[in-house]
Amino acid sequence: KYCVWILPSSATKAIKRQLKLAGLPVNIIDMRKDSSKDKLLKRSVNIIWHDHMRLNGMDEQLKEHASDMLFIVDEFHKTINKTIRTSITLEMIKLCAEFIGISGTIIVNEDYKGIIPWLESIVPYEVNEHNYLVAAASLISKKVILPIIVS
């Protein structure tokens, strides 16, 4: 029912353009106090800037609809530090029906520890410093089965 795509503000224009080219409805969320575009819409790609997840109750809205949500995290390497942004994102990937993490930089400054919570969410075993590369292999081999008929 819900699709939420979180991303850095600099990527908004390009992603919106691509979604529109694909014929998908897009809802740009703005969680600043004076905005009226602060509600998730069903059957639309809801675009939210990373840091707007923590503003004015958006985190509660996300949790309320998580069980019916595809949650897409663009530039997920920006959600691996010890921040509110990271804690909300990690909570959402545990609560949502499905999630996709997108990044060209999964390990930042040779520090693999930040991706361990992400990896633990996709493999059925504990991830640590000795096996994180094995878990990372699941990033390219995990298959998502969607209820879409292919003809």
Side-chain angles (χ1 to χ4, degrees):
K1 293 180 183 177
Y2 292 90
C3 177
V4 171
W5 191 316
I6 66 164
L7 44 66
S9 59
S10 60
T12 306
K13 188 176 178 182
I15 296 301
K16 180 182 177 183
R17 183 175 51 244
Q18 290 299 313
L19 293 169
K20 290 284 189 184
L21 283 172
L24 297 171
V26 176
N27 178 37
I28 307 286
I29 302 281
D30 183 347
M31 290 308 296
R32 291 174 286 201
K33 286 191 186 231
D34 58 347
S35 174
S36 61
K37 298 287 289 171
D38 61 352
K39 299 284 186 253
L40 297 175
L41 297 181
K42 286 182 181 178
R43 295 172 185 80
S44 183
V45 179
N46 294 278
I47 294 178
I48 306 172
W49 297 339
H50 285 145
D51 288 331
H52 279 221
M53 289 189 303
R54 62 186 174 86
L55 297 178
N56 301 316
M58 177 47 70
D59 58 334
E60 294 303 320
Q61 253 190 95
L62 291 168
K63 287 184 240 179
E64 179 183 345
H65 301 296
S67 63
D68 289 321
M69 182 183 296
L70 168 61
F71 191 70
I72 303 169
V73 183
D74 206 338
E75 303 291 348
F76 87 81
H77 63 277
K78 294 181 180 276
T79 64
I80 60 175
N81 298 319
K82 293 183 178 177
T83 62
I84 295 170
R85 172 197 302 174
T86 297
S87 60
I88 293 171
T89 304
L90 289 174
E91 183 175 16
M92 285 305 301
I93 67 170
K94 292 174 185 168
L95 294 174
C96 68
E98 293 288 342
F99 80 90
I100 299 170
I102 305 168
S103 178
T105 316
I106 64 168
I107 297 178
V108 180
N109 297 328
E110 299 180 20
D111 183 8
Y112 61 86
K113 292 178 181 139
I115 65 164
I116 286 179
W118 282 91
L119 295 173
E120 286 182 327
S121 70
I122 62 168
V123 297
Y125 51 85
E126 178 186 351
V127 180
N128 57 45
E129 65 189 50
H130 304 292
N131 68 356
Y132 76 94
L133 289 174
V134 174
S138 294
L139 293 172
I140 57 172
S141 63
K142 180 174 170 70
K143 293 184 180 179
V144 175
I145 299 170
L146 298 173
I148 298 171
I149 298 170
V150 178
S151 60

